[in-house]
Amino acid sequence: MQVIQQTLERPVWLDGRAVALLLAASLTTMANATISPALPGLERLFAADPNAAMLTRLLVPAPSLSVALFAPFAGLAVDRFGRRLLLLWGVILFAVAGCAGLVLPDLPSIFISRLVLGVAVALIMTAQTALVGDYFSGDRRSAMTGLQISARNFGGLVFISLAGWVAAMSPRWPFAIYGLALVFLPLMWMVIVDPPRRLQATDAKATSDAAGHPSWVVLLSLLVLLQALTNMIFFVMPTQMSFFLDAKGYDAAMMTGAILGTVMLSGGSFALIYPRVQRVTGYAGIFLIGYAAMALGFLLLLLAETTPTLFAAAASIGAGYALVSPSFVALTLNLAPLRRRGLSGGVLTASIFIGQFISPLLVTPLIARHGYGALFGATALLLAAMAIAAGAAGAAARARRRPSEG
């Protein structure tokens, strides 16, 4: 009991378990985009393959497809076999599948390894989400969900920058970056433990946190749909920005890196203040602010005539996305019963990657027919409507509380 009390009194970022989970969070951003700088080199390396152009472009989104399909099953496994086991095996599989591109002889085999990498990401993300719910509650849980988004943004910035540097030496070398997961493994092995099942069973009868919300299935379904929509909108940035900048006459490769770097820096920074903002505004308020910021960003893209405006748009979109994203995890952990946290985390994880996968399929035809202006304008209007809806929901909740308080 004394050890538990001391753990509770420490700042969350000094907790070894939190550090391990944040390192795991940084891996999930590494999964897709780390090899992006190597794609042209890989296409030249395997030029003899008649499908080289198509396969190289599928290497980046391939893990997303696996995560979307496998994450719910990973969640069931996390609930059945324990969080620790699945997290550790997920990290090991992540390193092996990620590094496989160093030695695999052709693009089809590398593509298969990328699908396996997605399975590893699903295991890591679902186990990590469940463990955040097991280890932390209240303000500490809010702090952890914000720190996760920061870890993903800052980790992505470091890994992608490193990949760009080593890709200049060889298109295969970025695959070696996935081996960094093994450096994180010893800390995870030492500090990550599953909560005692006997304790879980006792607490389940005594606490609402273990029992979950009576309507958790319906509310989680709404959260999953909203998160898929949010990620579908956000993924316009990495999938369409290079083409938009090229159409405006910029050096697309250099400017895209700078713009996406701004998104990550802004997102990582604003995610750090998420707990404070959420405490002041509540969940409805955080969605209002976040979606309003994203709407402003897309409006600035619509109106952008200068380079500073483009960077301001990127910063606004990154900040807004970083403010809303932690709330999906926090609300899911608050709603779901303890025995279903793995499944809930798996479904929530799947919704992220489903949104990412759908985004270019829906957006590319819209751009071809109506242009970037129509895309950015419609997106800004949709996000503004989402912000207004969040504000109205918050106002209605406050109005319902007033009579009971009186």
Side-chain angles (χ1 to χ4, degrees), residues 228-229 232-233 236 239-240 354-370 375:
L229 175 61
M232 184 185 75
I233 293 170
V236 167
T239 58
Q240 306 299 333
I354 288 171
Q356 291 179 1
F357 191 77
I358 290 174
S359 180
L361 300 179
L362 294 182
V363 169
T364 303
L366 177 62
I367 294 171
R369 180 171 295 185
H370 301 289
L375 169 66

Side-chain angles (χ1 to χ4, degrees), residues 228-310:
L229 175 61
T230 302
N231 280 273
M232 184 185 75
I233 293 170
F234 177 75
F235 220 58
V236 167
M237 296 299 289
T239 58
Q240 306 299 333
M241 187 52 53
S242 61
F243 302 105
F244 170 66
L245 293 170
D246 185 63
K248 290 184 74 70
Y250 288 96
D251 181 335
M254 183 176 68
M255 273 294 289
T256 300
I259 291 291
L260 295 181
T262 301
V263 171
M264 291 179 181
L265 281 174
S266 176
S269 301
F270 273 85
L272 291 174
I273 65 171
Y274 166 81
R276 298 178 185 176
V277 178
Q278 193 277 325
R279 280 197 297 270
V280 173
T281 65
Y283 288 113
I286 206 81
F287 280 115
L288 167 60
I289 296 170
Y291 286 136
M294 291 181 72
L296 175 61
F298 279 99
L299 179 61
L300 289 174
L301 287 178
L302 173 64
L303 303 175
E305 296 295 336
T306 64
T307 300
T309 307
L310 290 172

Side-chain angles (χ1 to χ4, degrees), residues 114-196:
R114 301 290 291 173
L115 294 175
V116 176
L117 179 67
V119 174
V121 172
L123 291 172
I124 293 169
M125 290 189 71
T126 51
Q128 176 206 27
T129 299
L131 285 165
V132 169
D134 292 341
Y135 291 160
F136 308 104
S137 60
D139 289 343
R140 291 169 63 81
R141 183 181 291 174
S142 293
M144 268 300 296
T145 55
L147 287 171
Q148 281 182 301
I149 302 302
S150 287
R152 290 174 189 171
N153 278 276
F154 292 136
L157 185 62
V158 171
F159 296 137
I160 292 171
S161 300
L162 179 59
W165 180 62
V166 299
M169 303 176 193
S170 167
R172 284 188 181 268
W173 279 26
F175 291 103
I177 296 173
Y178 294 96
L180 290 174
L182 296 178
V183 178
F184 304 158
L185 192 62
L187 176 63
M188 297 176 187
W189 181 277
M190 289 188 293
V191 302
I192 298 297
V193 295
D194 283 318

Side-chain angles (χ1 to χ4, degrees), residues 10-27:
R10 284 188 298 173
V12 68
W13 51 270
L14 290 177
D15 190 324
R17 302 170 304 174
V19 173
L21 293 176
L22 292 174
L23 291 174
S26 71
L27 296 178

